[in-house]
Structures are given as C-alpha cells and as structure tokens.
Amino acid sequence: MKLQSGHEVVPLEGSEKEKQLKDFPGYAGGLIRLMPGRWLLTPMFQTVADRIYNFQHKKSDVVVMTWPKCGTTWTQEIVWTMMNSPDLDHPDSRLPILTRSPFIENDTFAPALKPGEVPPSDDPFYVAFKKVCPNKDPADGMHLQLTKHFPDPRLIKTHLPFSLMSPSLLDTCKVIYVARNPKDIIVSFHHHSRLMKLHNYVGSFADFVQYFLDDDLIYGPYWLHLKEAWERRNHKNLHFIFYEDLKANPLGEIKKLDAFLNTELTDAQLDGIVKYTSFKEMRARNNAPIFNYEQEGVTVEVLNDEVVKKDGGFFRKGESGDWKNKFTPEMDAKVNQWVQKNLNNLGLEFKYGI
Ligand code: PPS
C-alpha cells in the first residue's frame, strides 16, 4: 500500500515481528514500517495517514511536535495555559491535556471501532468528542475528528515527523518542536513502554537501548525525526525548544514562547505559568495524557500497576541527566557512538552535553 505522503507501507514479518511481539506483547495487532524513513507505527495508522497528510491546518493552529518523551505534555500544558488561561482561571484547565489539546494520530493507539459503535460513555476522549462534534461517528477516527472540529485556536499534539504531516504545515501555522537528550529519552521511553499496557515492554533495559539505537522503537528513528525539524529551524513559523533549556531556565524559554506566539503576557502571568507548569505542580494535578479511568463503576486499567508502584506513573522524574543513574559504561559508549554517527552530522549541539 502506498500513502499519499509517498511512503510505502511494509508490515513487519517473520523473526522481526516475533521479536517485537515477544518484547512488546502490547503490539499483538502487529506493526508497520513506512518507507523511506523506517517510521514504525501500528497498522491503524493506515486508516488516518492520508487524512493527516491532507489535514486542513489553520493559521491559528499551534502544533507541538516531538519524538516521544521529549517533553510534549509539559510544552502542551505551558502553551495551552498561555493561550487559554494566562491568569490560571480557566474552568477546563483540570481536564486531561489530550482533551484540551488533541493528539492528531492518537487513533493509531485506540481500539478499533465498527461503524456506529461507540466507546464507553465515561471515556474522557469520547466525552470531549461528543461535546466538540456530537453528530460524527467516532469509528471514523475519534481523535482525528476531535482535532478537526476543535474550537480555534487549536493546540495540536503530534509525534509524527514533518514528512508525514501536511506539506504546507509550516507555511500555514506555528509549530513548536521539542528535542531532548537521547539518553534521557531512552530512560523515559523505557519506563513509558513498561508503564503502558498498549506497549507492555517486558524485555531488558539493555535490549531497549539497542532497540533505540537500531531505530526499532515505535515511531522509528529519533535522529531522522530531529533532522527533518532541524533543517527547517530558520523558518519563521518553527520554534525549537530543548527540554534541557526549559528545565534550566523555564522563565526564559516561556518568554521566548510568548514572543513566538504573540501572547503578550505580563511578567506576573509568565511567573504564574512557570510555577503552574513545574514538574511538582503538574505531577500533583496529574492530568496526564494517559490514565486509568472509570467505566460504569469499574476501573479501566491502561497502566501497569506494579510499574506505577515501583517506578512511578507518567510524571516519573522530570529531570535532565537521570540516564546517569541507569546507564552502564558499555551502554554509554554505544550511545555516544550512535550520537557521533547520527547527531553530530546534523550540526546540532546539545549544549549541556549528551
Ligand atoms: S509522551 O508520552 O511521549 O507524550 O511524553 P512527553 O510528555 O513527551 O514526555 C514525558 C517526560 O516529560 C516529563 N515531564 C516534565 N518534566 C519537567 N517538568 C514538567 N512539568 C514535566 N511534565 C512532564 C515526564 O516526567 C517524562 O520524563 P521522565 O524523564 O520520564 O520523568
């Protein structure tokens, strides 16, 4: 199958598929690669790929684009608050972030619905969907339609690279790209992949490092994702953020966002947003992108409980450099070699080191 983005869909087969399934039992529905790029996604992506590629973005849209675990949620919470609740008084501010800032390709991770079938009435995404587009069929891509019909200005999340999004994206609207030290991404993504039942990673940490280096984790190559954005960094509609900079100087970075977004916030508002979006406060509010939820009095377990108890939930540590507590010298050497080969060629510098 060929997508309108020009990518060929190649389902994972044979030993590669078996290995993925053994280590990630959550991928029982299989995986696909998109060539060129080796982007790794679920087969459900095929149902939304062309509509995402042809998505009608608006001038007022703001897209937060990142590879997984780079600080998407943090950036979404900052930007949503800047755009909608600079005085921290918006009544919706406690709703889960993905119901305020839709995740355009989230249907690729959602259970498939038959036409006319509806999700459980308590599913927070379905609650948001019914409010935003009450007459639409959720089986036709609930998250994509939620994104399409969301009131302006839309703040859209994606982990897709530029090459799978609308080719006119940057010429139409603003994009914020967040990058993070790959070693911290590995640690954070390893936790996430164990935490979430939809991945359910059961392999070792060492194997997970290797999956990352081989571009075999869901979404595919981090370096290529970053390269596609880095090449566009001088476009007036692209704003680049490093997680490490946001951590080291949140006020400075939020001021840059204020200028990029033309939100013209006061110093008191900016200070308030820094505090409100600190790791401590976001963890305490816990309106994470993923959560267990109640359905007719029964808890739907999206998260692995033992992982939550032992290693924490979505808001794990929120630090730069935690990889030092997890990596062996051998892993460190391997990743350094990978950085040398892939990231150094981009002319991109992680100023706090890797
Ligand atoms: S996801 O699931 O891919 O969308 O995850 P993403 O939001 O991109 O990244 C999750 C990591 O960001 C940390 N986080 C924060 N760090 C600092 N400050 C704030 N406010 C904050 N909010 C989330 C989150 O804890 C994950 O990183 P780790 O290193 O695992 O703690």
Side-chain angles (χ1 to χ4, degrees):
M1 180 185 179
K2 190 129 182 170
L3 303 178
Q4 288 185 20
S5 57
H7 294 85
E8 198 72 53
V9 177
V10 184
L12 245 62
E13 301 285 4
S15 56
E16 205 186 1
K17 183 179 173 186
E18 276 170 33
K19 185 171 183 299
Q20 285 271 1
L21 257 177
K22 186 170 136 284
D23 286 339
F24 295 89
Y27 301 156
L31 290 170
I32 54 167
R33 269 193 208 292
L34 305 185
M35 306 297 282
R38 296 184 85 248
W39 308 111
L40 191 65
L41 290 155
T42 68
M44 282 285 280
F45 183 67
Q46 295 165 95
T47 65
V48 288
D50 289 346
R51 285 188 283 159
I52 291 178
Y53 188 71
N54 293 310
F55 194 84
Q56 295 290 304
H57 284 280
K58 300 177 190 171
K59 192 167 184 273
S60 56
D61 286 350
V62 178
V63 175
V64 176
M65 177 188 280
T66 75
W67 207 73
K69 310 320 289 179
C70 287
T72 331
T73 312
W74 187 13
T75 309
Q76 281 172 286
E77 187 72 318
I78 291 171
V79 174
W80 187 89
T81 309
M82 293 174 77
M83 287 166 53
N84 299 286
S85 186
D87 294 318
L88 312 178
D89 55 0
H90 196 292
D92 288 351
S93 60
R94 294 283 173 135
L95 295 177
I97 184 73
L98 294 188
T99 65
R100 291 179 273 134
S101 166
F103 184 14
I104 194 166
E105 76 269 20
N106 209 14
D107 293 300
T108 59
F109 301 112
L113 298 169
K114 296 189 193 80
E117 193 187 350
V118 294
S121 58
D122 304 340
D123 176 338
F125 296 120
Y126 186 46
V127 172
F129 176 85
K130 277 193 298 189
K131 193 168 147 201
V132 169
C133 39
N135 302 317
K136 301 288 174 192
D137 183 355
D140 200 20
M142 181 166 72
H143 294 270
L144 185 53
Q145 292 181 89
L146 180 63
T147 311
K148 182 173 169 191
H149 297 287
F150 212 81
D152 301 335
R154 304 180 294 194
L155 175 63
I156 300 171
K157 162 182 173 168
T158 187
H159 289 316
L160 296 173
F162 270 105
S163 50
L164 293 173
M165 296 289 282
S166 159
S168 58
L169 179 71
L170 259 191
D171 291 328
T172 311
C173 65
K174 292 188 195 300
V175 178
I176 299 167
Y177 189 92
V178 192
R180 189 179 188 186
N181 179 338
K183 291 179 185 168
D184 282 329
I185 295 177
I186 293 173
V187 173
S188 184
F189 206 4
H190 173 249
H191 171 72
H192 182 93
S193 303
R194 292 169 61 243
L195 177 70
M196 288 199 67
K197 289 192 172 169
L198 76 87
H199 306 289
N200 220 1
Y201 183 67
V202 293
S204 67
F205 180 63
D207 282 353
F208 196 87
V209 174
Q210 197 58 48
Y211 270 109
F212 178 88
L213 298 179
D214 293 340
D215 302 330
D216 280 341
L217 291 176
I218 193 112
Y219 280 105
Y222 173 56
W223 69 271
L224 186 55
H225 198 287
L226 186 53
K227 178 172 184 276
E228 288 190 6
W230 190 243
E231 284 170 351
R232 293 163 168 84
R233 68 190 177 281
N234 294 323
H235 195 293
K236 68 174 183 4
N237 276 347
L238 180 61
H239 182 72
F240 229 90
I241 300 183
F242 286 86
Y243 178 98
E244 292 73 24
D245 284 330
L246 195 54
K247 193 74 204 164
N249 181 9
L251 181 61
E253 291 301 316
I254 292 175
K255 277 186 178 166
K256 286 187 207 162
L257 277 171
D258 185 50
F260 177 66
L261 298 167
N262 302 316
T263 31
E264 299 184 344
L265 304 186
T266 64
D267 285 348
Q269 288 171 327
L270 293 168
D271 282 337
I273 292 172
V274 169
K275 283 199 200 83
Y276 182 75
T277 58
S278 69
F279 181 75
K280 209 170 137 209
E281 295 224 358
M282 282 184 64
R283 182 156 68 175
R285 284 198 299 280
N286 197 24
N287 48 359
I290 47 167
F291 35 75
N292 293 336
Y293 61 92
E294 294 295 312
Q295 180 189 321
E296 284 146 19
V298 178
T299 305
V300 178
E301 305 258 346
V302 174
L303 309 177
N304 276 316
D305 233 18
E306 327 85 82
V307 178
V308 178
K309 282 193 195 115
K310 189 161 167 268
D311 300 314
F314 180 85
F315 294 97
R316 191 186 63 92
K317 276 206 169 170
E319 287 171 8
S320 305
D322 185 43
W323 65 268
K324 291 178 190 137
N325 300 314
K326 263 311 244 188
F327 272 48
T328 62
E330 292 73 30
M331 290 171 189
D332 193 28
K334 262 194 198 177
V335 179
N336 287 342
Q337 227 174 26
W338 175 93
V339 168
Q340 193 85 16
K341 184 171 136 225
N342 294 301
L343 294 194
N344 285 3
N345 288 338
L346 305 186
L348 176 158
E349 208 194 326
F350 282 85
K351 71 175 184 240
Y352 302 92
I354 288 187

